[in-house]
Amino acid sequence: MNSKIEWIKKQKGKSLRVLTATDYPMARLLDEAGIPVLLVGDSLGMVTLGYPDTTHVTMSDMIHHAQAVMRAQPHAAVVVDLPYQSYETTDLALFNAKKIMNLGVDAVKVEGACLEVIRALVGEGIPIMGHLGMLPQSILKEGGYKIKGRSEIERAQIVKEALDLEKSGVFAIVLELVISDLAKELTHLISVPTIGIGSGNECDGQVLVTHDLVGFSPWFQPKHVKPLAEVGHSISSAASSFLSRSD
Ligand code: KIV
């Protein structure tokens, strides 16, 4: 495990900040701002490629965007999502994870309690970030983005999955749309950092899709993000000013 991943493991209780990066300028700007972990998330399918969900994202898409991010030579740790159906078996997962690691990135992220796959990848020395709660790659089965952990059965299942992931060797776990008291409980229960998104304020860190943070897509603003910029409006306004110039 490299020193950036070792550092992330030590960020229990230390407000770790993670943002998504999809291309060279975004990676460069976030890295220069000091963001310590860049996630090439498959949310790029929606925010940069215009797909309705992440199930359309391919390995070629992830490689193309991860390469652009790596051209910024970030000091930050770079974690890349393994996309939909690219880790259905251990052989396929190993093949695809190695392809992504060969780009020089630091780790890959997989969704759900795919324990055999995680153990196989960790066994090959590939650092794995886990992802529990709402799993965007399961959106077709789930039928929507729903808060997870409201029922006792769902709570017990997520607790078991978090413990299983920890035992399988992940170095951190993203908790997406997990009800906040459960996210807090998990944060106390497991030894690796929890990184929340829409899961309250009591995780060890927070991850956001940068496009949501900077208001890049004004037509879509998730409830859990208060945008800190209005990049979308700035682009529209610059375009309008350009149109009305007489030169
Ligand atoms: O793809 C992504 O951006 C993610 C975050 C939502 C954690 O997985």
Side-chain angles (χ1 to χ4, degrees), residues 162-203:
L163 289 168
D164 284 344
L165 253 62
E166 180 189 23
K167 246 187 260 156
S168 304
V170 300
F171 67 86
I173 303 179
V174 168
L175 297 177
E176 178 160 0
L177 298 186
V178 170
I179 199 156
S180 56
D181 68 322
L182 176 57
K184 179 178 175 184
E185 183 184 328
L186 293 169
T187 298
H188 290 296
L189 188 67
I190 61 172
S191 62
V192 295
T194 58
I195 306 172
I197 174 160
S199 301
N201 299 326
E202 311 236 24
C203 294

Side-chain angles (χ1 to χ4, degrees), residues 20 39 41-44 81 109 111 131 174 176 197 207 209:
T20 60
L39 171 65
D42 59 358
S43 57
L44 66 83
D81 266 334
K109 176 163 81 57
E111 292 185 7
H131 185 150
V174 168
E176 178 160 0
I197 174 160
V207 53
V209 174

